[in-house]
Amino acid sequence: MRKLALLLGLAAILSLSGCGYNDFQTKDEAVKKSWAEVLNQYQRRSDLIPNLVATVQGYAQQEKDVLLGVTEARSRVGQMKIDESVVNNPQAMQNFQKAQGDLSSALSRLLVVAENYPQLKSDANFRELQSQLEGTENRITVARKRFTESIEQYNVLTRQFPTNLTAMLFSYAVKPQFTVENEKAISVAPKVDFGAKPAPAPAPAPAK
């Protein structure tokens, strides 16, 4: 009797491993790991922003709308509940991408404003923050690439035969993938106009 149970157990193990069950565990953990790194890099960016805003604010006090936009976008990101469940929830993933996209847009406007203030550009704190921010954006890009690759491998396993049968049996669904936030905008070819006049330089900041 004991031998029969042992044989049945061994058969069950071989059956699970042969049908891709163990591969699902491995790739699911890879998705969780890569998603954690994505969140880690986004959090690093969020942590840098208050110092960057404070530094710019000291030189560009009249740019209140831009500064307020960055602060509010960061606040909206901070209020979102982000955990591992997001990788299984298409709507939550879409909301996360939109919030991060809004913050990226606000941050871009802030850096454009900062370029118009020579004193700010020469400030060591601003240069250091800008450098760290640029490094963080690169890390986010790498983390997102690894995440999309891990999602791709998981989703292929979920959809291909015969592991799709295992996916149905154990309720492994296809996970939502990162998409391009401005898909409509990048589908339009940019217009290049070398005859356009440059924007006038802003008035210098009043002396303190």
Side-chain angles (χ1 to χ4, degrees):
M1 187 65 181
R2 180 178 296 178
K3 288 184 178 180
L4 178 61
L6 184 62
L7 289 174
L8 289 175
L10 182 60
I13 292 173
L14 292 175
S15 175
L16 288 175
S17 60
C19 67
Y21 179 82
N22 288 340
D23 289 337
F24 274 109
Q25 310 309 310
T26 301
K27 296 191 185 304
D28 190 44
E29 287 301 319
V31 169
K32 291 177 182 177
K33 179 183 176 182
S34 58
W35 176 245
E37 182 59 19
V38 169
L39 295 183
N40 180 43
Q41 295 305 328
Y42 274 123
Q43 183 62 49
R44 186 175 190 271
R45 180 175 73 166
S46 181
D47 291 342
L48 286 172
I49 286 175
N51 292 332
L52 183 66
V53 169
T55 303
V56 175
Q57 200 167 22
Y59 290 90
Q61 295 182 4
Q62 61 269 44
E63 307 289 352
K64 292 181 180 177
D65 290 343
V66 176
L67 294 166
L68 184 62
V70 174
T71 303
E72 289 180 346
R74 180 185 178 274
S75 177
R76 286 194 293 273
V77 169
Q79 291 172 1
M80 295 186 68
K81 180 185 176 184
I82 305 296
D83 53 28
E84 292 180 357
S85 65
V86 173
V87 298
N88 297 317
N89 188 329
Q91 185 59 51
M93 177 66 78
Q94 186 176 357
N95 293 340
F96 174 79
Q97 283 190 254
K98 183 180 185 310
Q100 292 293 349
D102 290 344
L103 180 56
S104 296
S105 178
L107 203 54
S108 297
R109 289 195 293 274
L110 175 65
L111 293 176
V112 169
V113 166
E115 287 298 309
N116 292 330
Y117 291 85
Q119 289 178 309
L120 175 58
K121 284 194 294 184
S122 63
D123 181 78
N125 288 334
F126 173 74
R127 292 203 306 271
E128 175 62 22
L129 285 169
Q130 190 178 30
S131 175
Q132 289 193 34
L133 204 56
E134 290 172 352
T136 300
E137 294 299 320
N138 291 333
R139 291 188 183 95
I140 288 174
T141 301
V142 172
R144 285 184 53 150
K145 178 177 181 295
R146 291 173 177 168
F147 176 71
T148 56
E149 289 174 348
S150 65
I151 287 286
E152 178 189 11
Q153 294 173 8
Y154 177 91
N155 285 346
V156 167
L157 189 67
T158 304
R159 299 178 64 180
Q160 72 182 4
F161 182 83
T163 50
N164 62 333
L165 302 178
T166 305
M168 286 190 291
L169 181 62
F170 291 95
S171 300
Y172 290 122
V174 171
K175 297 180 186 293
Q177 184 62 282
F178 263 132
T179 59
V180 179
E181 293 90 347
N182 56 344
E183 186 174 355
K184 291 184 179 178
I186 65 174
S187 64
V188 179
K191 295 181 180 178
V192 180
D193 184 4
F194 292 106
K197 296 181 179 179
K208 296 180 180 179

